[in-house]
């Protein structure tokens, strides 16, 4: 497929990046059934670290096998597949050249006493495994946020010099932030904005709720449309350099298919670039997952 | 424009610096409508980190776009534009060679539990983005001040070796320092002096109030003129090696235009080198901001 | 002995590893009386660090001598011998080429105030001592788990580049984890899974009990067979990338011979790759130990 | 396009390479109109170094523009585009993600006093420009051959570790080798074999003539079929590890279209992997070049 | 197989080497049908570099395939297989753990204008490919001998630190040395001795003739028994630290089977450690080669 105007426009906004990094962004944007549209659907499988194997894979046991996820992402025509080191190593040779991969370079787990993560992958790993990007999580609000940002800075600088893109998961958590405020619109937009400021190429945040948490933010939000989910997506996109950075939204906990489809429509209508959708797919039987992803792809293509 | 006597005099005081660093100081001092006067007006846009996107940009939505600020600084004929990594990357190519930039290398945020910042940019970033200087914040008084000073030492040493200048934001905060004493004259002068001692090329402090906070400082301040703001500026300049270092003052929270103009007159009259003025400009509509900056430039030129 | 189909199949699953690392995995898998079966029995002697010399060796004083353990592993026809730096150095020349060795690269001790270990060996040590693998312990749950994972990442990356395999002891401990939950099935499977995600080649865990500890894991475990020990082993193997990684189980505290044999049968029947068995052998008189290991080997060969 | 059996078979023969390198081989093998067939047509434009600009581009002046060649390779549906540093830099951003590129890392020129080349590009360049491979020339026979091989070893080792493939131009030249023997079958097969021994992923040689040059080689060649060009290609392929390495053939000096087509048919029939064809295309008007490349592609597809 | 007294005795003479290096010597000495005897037969396939593919492999075309040689060495029960980088890479994964390999790190070719070689492999290559040893050639007598020795020193020092053994081909050639004197007894013994002095673990020389070439050596050789080939072998062994270093002899050009067998008997009877035998085996049909190697193995076992 030849490069489309939509993808060229996106790439042109990464104006200080070298051609290697742009090429890797292009690999993801030109891959699969959404290739060329400027939209992306990414399959992330890092729940093994977050929740353990049974909570992640028992609902659909073939998913214990790392090859399952590579194949699912390929067969569904997705844009990229993201996973921690061991998961990628276990299939990187078999699937070399078939789907862009994102090495998730830090990871937490259910027992972590604090909102922080361990760095478990490096840019050298990404190069030898042929990854298009590194993935990294920061927890704005956490006492560890500064350390996490600095770890990202180091990996990100090395990645940029090596022509590797970066995807930053920016999930408010910890510190004085109340659990119920983590999804607040002002909080989510702030988290997305800081990911952009930190130099991430692709920003991953959660879909925000219609709620402003910070006292000082009440006033500026009076004039911001936040009634519909699409409007809130639009504000997050605006907060990422007025749309100069790719923003994708995570699907959150497993939920009904209709809710998933509505989310995708809202992301699309609000100008978001796509979805990172893990549990909602790999915890369903493969046929159902493929059907769901087929519909999501169609939504992003404007056909549903 | 050929180099002026005023700028040559300033450069001559940075006598241990290499020609590369002096050249970058000269780039800023010779830029824009104040070029050659020895005065500077710098546009800083790091409020996205500090306060989030909506509090920063909702009052003037075009400012969500990083290009807006580059263009504002250029059109207003300012001396330099300062911002964090992602903000500069998003426009560094489009505006290459049009305005000196300052990479703000550390950043805090509204949720930070302690007066500290994360290092989010490096000298390598500054070099690849073509920046004239790095910017860095320290919080004298904070329990993290020593760490911050040491982080600055590392970046600053690398910058000096690479011919890059440094701008040090020195903002008293934290530890036993009372909120109401942060702007005290003795405290501000002390903070400015430590920035000079730390080897910064350009020192950025807040305009001090007529108030001495430290008990032990009461006596020495008996003989120091602090009645007028211009007099207090003069004392800060004196505290920066008797005027051997460039000192610029920040505008603080958004306020009325007249107050902003009076500040500039006082800085000028007290021998300060200029203003770093962010929210007061980019949170106003562009026309108003340009008009305000036009007047400030004229003040520094002695025409208002 | 020529390479068997069983071993070739195991090696083929380490698809992103270089031939050097695969060769070292093969050295262990082709060694001794279980060579070629795809099963392993490893002798680990790191109790000196953990419990001190007398608790470790007084029950069988010849075991104070490092040569004793090399000879025991060789005479019993085991797959490999694992020990800390000094223990290996004390016999590495005498027994060069006779038994693959695993350099245990971190170690704790009875006086440690927190669940953590010191890094006491390196990949350079492993190379000069001719080791087939490095060994490393992490404590999922501990406040030090992130640091331990990052230490492993560094050693592991260097080992992979040098053609050395890695064995990761993953022992839940510390933090909010209750002592009685350390052996819970969900906890053990989670620990094993994280070792696989971290990129370990061989995963060493404890035999889990029939007990689910984490509240959020209760539901997914409803459909998982955990009645018999063999069934629980099967779940751990499944949790290690559906059997794509070698999993060996530790024998735990000294116990009766029959219990040891039953463990081996259950590991075998559940599809585990073998045992790491230390105290249960070297704390018995040599003749008894050899008889016990002889029987364990026969069990893994399907003969008992 | 999904990965084909033909390409999977080729990748499986690079058995000691990491997934990153295989992924870059796959990028070239899956690109363009021959994507998936196991055949390749590469456009090389290094004649500027070899012969100067006018000899290279005056026959078709639009070719002075580096963008011309990127676009030609893309429009013709080729597998990759190879050029020296400056040529790639001049278009790498515009065409990022549109065509795999090969950074030609050494270069000679018309004034060179000896058969040798200067190293003008590095693996870091290849990474920042997003290249799929490095290209390198050696001159077997030359007094500088050993030095060239050692330069290749250094670049090649770094490329392999970084997941970048290598293409080795192996052109007998210099030393005691007579000009008329450079194309001899034994000489060409020998040159190809040494490229394979040196660890190159893709071997580029010239089409050999029916002539054995080395006295000691007369006898072994008695039993080797060399009557037809296809038979000679087959012998070269055999000399590259019995077809375990990709071999492409260069088109040589500009010649008639029919001769070019016959060469392609012979390469195809002899089991070669494709053509590197430069002057014969870019020195013709664009329409003619596209028509010629269209026909060559069809030949490799077995349609002509 | 458990370590034999013969092999332990050999290893004990490498008294300053680390256990890693001794382990790799043991790997070769314990491998195959001669494992444990202290004798070795090594298959070297570097003739592709030396003579080109057709002269090397046309007599037995399956030998064009690198897998052929790995399999031949394994099936014949040999001690090790030696080849240049590309040849090893092409089979290192398939045959991982099945046969110790020796990475031939430098190589010449038929067109070389001077007796010298190019360094085409490194210790890092040897580690990632799982090699037991590096191989290297020096040409005593050549004007390049000092450079070659220094290249060996660098590789050898790195190999020793990494636990890798070294095999040094020491072939007098070049300078003032007459062609007919290259095989002289004094010349060969001298070359072997210098290899020992350079710190090689295994010394590979040619079988010497009954002829003393150096004028100054005539007298000392009066008392040395050189009538029989076995006696001459004994003198070479003596010249390698009185038998403290492993010495193997090369088979030279293809010749009749009986001559090959007689050579092996003489090496055995003279106390040599074995044969490096390439062309005489792989240039024969596989069945013949296996039969020949079977007989050679039996000779070294004292059975023929």
């Amino acid at each position: 497929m030849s490069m489309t105007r939509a993808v060229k426009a996106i790439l042109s906004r990464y104006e200080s990046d070298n051609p290697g990094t742009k090429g890797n962004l292009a690999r993801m944007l030109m891959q699969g059934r959404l290739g060329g549209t400027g939209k992306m659907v990414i399959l992330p499988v890092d729940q093994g670290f977050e929740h353990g194997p049974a909570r992640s894979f028992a609902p659909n046991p073939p998913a214990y096998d790392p090859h399952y996820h590579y194949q699912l992402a390929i067969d569904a025509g997705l844009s990229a597949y993201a996973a921690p080191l061991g998961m990628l190593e276990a299939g990187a040779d078999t699937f070399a050249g078939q789907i862009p991969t994102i090495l998730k370079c830090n990871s937490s787990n259910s027992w972590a006493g604090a909102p922080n993560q361990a760095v478990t992958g490096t840019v050298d790993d990404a190069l030898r495994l042929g990854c298009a990007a590194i993935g990294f999580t920061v927890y704005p609000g956490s006492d560890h946020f500064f350390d996490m940002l600095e770890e990202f800075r180091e990996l990100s600088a090395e990645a940029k010099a090596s022509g590797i893109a970066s995807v930053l998961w920016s999930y408010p958590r910890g510190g004085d932030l109340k659990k119920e405020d983590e999804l607040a619109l002002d909080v989510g937009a702030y988290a997305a904005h800081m990911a952009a400021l930190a130099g991430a190429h692709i920003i991953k945040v959660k879909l925000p709720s219609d709620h402003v948490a910070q006292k000082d933010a009440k006033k500026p939000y009076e004039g911001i449309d936040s009634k519909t989910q699409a409007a809130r997506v639009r504000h997050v996109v605006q907060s990422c350099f007025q749309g100069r950075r790719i923003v994708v939204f995570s699907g959150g906990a497993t939920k009904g298919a209709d809710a998933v489809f509505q989310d995708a429509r809202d992301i699309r209508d609000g100008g978001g670039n796509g979805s990172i959708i893990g549990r909602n797919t790999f915890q369903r039987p493969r046929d159902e997952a493929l059907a769901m992803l087929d519909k999501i792809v169609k939504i992003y293509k404007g056909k549903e």
Side-chain angles (χ1 to χ4, degrees), chain A:
Chain A
M1 189 194 310
S2 64
M3 184 66 64
T4 61
R5 198 173 304 185
V7 171
K8 280 187 189 167
I10 291 172
L11 295 181
S12 74
R13 295 179 198 124
Y14 292 87
E15 56 180 67
S16 70
D17 278 295
N18 64 29
T21 301
K22 288 191 187 181
N24 271 319
L25 287 170
R27 273 171 72 193
M28 294 184 277
L29 289 163
M30 294 306 291
Q31 174 80 11
R33 292 174 58 204
L34 288 168
T37 62
K39 301 296 178 186
M40 311 176 83
V41 176
I42 295 171
L43 175 68
V45 188
D46 51 349
Q47 283 76 8
F49 257 124
E50 301 286 330
H51 302 139
R55 284 176 62 195
S56 302
F57 308 127
N60 179 33
Y64 281 105
D65 184 348
H67 281 209
Y68 178 86
H69 304 284
Y70 274 99
Q71 198 64 57
L72 180 67
I74 292 164
D75 291 347
L78 304 191
S79 313
Y81 165 52
L85 183 67
M87 285 286 274
L88 288 191
E89 287 182 330
D93 183 79
T94 298
F95 299 98
Q98 298 191 44
I99 178 94
T101 53
I102 299 165
L103 177 63
K104 187 70 200 320
C105 287
N106 65 348
S107 304
S108 188
N109 65 78
S110 300
W111 299 317
N116 194 2
Q117 300 210 341
V119 178
T120 56
T122 66
V123 174
D124 280 344
D125 290 324
L127 286 170
R128 75 179 164 86
L129 296 173
C131 301
I134 55 165
F136 200 87
T137 296
V138 291
Y139 294 137
S142 161
D143 294 344
H144 298 274
F145 180 47
F146 287 169
D147 289 342
M148 295 177 99
L149 266 184
E150 294 182 355
E151 288 165 348
F152 176 67
R153 182 203 69 223
E154 287 183 20
L155 285 169
S156 166
E158 194 182 344
K160 279 175 187 169
S162 303
I164 299 272
S166 64
V167 185
L168 192 52
W169 276 235
S170 191
Y171 285 4
R173 185 170 304 174
D176 294 335
L177 208 61
K178 292 178 197 146
K179 185 75 192 163
E180 65 267 27
D181 288 341
E182 291 177 358
L183 295 178
L185 177 57
D186 59 322
V187 169
Y190 196 166
H193 186 64
M194 287 197 285
L197 289 172
H201 296 107
I202 299 180
I203 294 157
K204 182 194 168 192
V205 288
K206 294 186 174 173
L207 281 164
S209 62
D210 184 10
H211 156 217
V212 172
Q214 304 169 97
K215 209 176 137 190
D216 293 340
K218 302 277 182 198
K219 188 153 177 61
Y221 273 90
E222 282 171 7
I224 292 172
D225 179 9
S226 64
K227 287 284 153 41
T228 63
Q229 186 161 259
R232 296 192 293 275
V233 164
R234 190 168 295 114
H235 174 61
V236 172
V237 169
Q238 180 185 49
S239 299
C240 293
F241 296 169
Q242 196 86 297
R244 288 183 181 276
R245 291 294 171 262
I246 295 169
V247 193
V248 295
F249 294 83
S250 60
T254 317
K255 54 189 175 186
D258 287 345
V260 171
F261 299 141
Q262 192 52 47
D263 283 353
R265 277 188 208 98
D266 293 338
I267 295 166
R268 175 197 67 195
D269 295 343
N273 294 82
S275 300
I276 289 207
I277 182 163
R279 277 173 291 170
N280 272 300
T281 56
F282 69 71
Q283 293 189 339
R284 284 179 161 83
R286 186 176 140 91
D287 284 351
E288 281 182 35
L290 286 173
M292 172 179 274
L293 288 167
D294 174 67
K295 184 147 180 177
I296 292 172
V297 163
K298 283 178 181 149
I299 289 168
Y300 279 113
K301 285 185 158 181
K303 295 181 182 166
E304 295 266 349

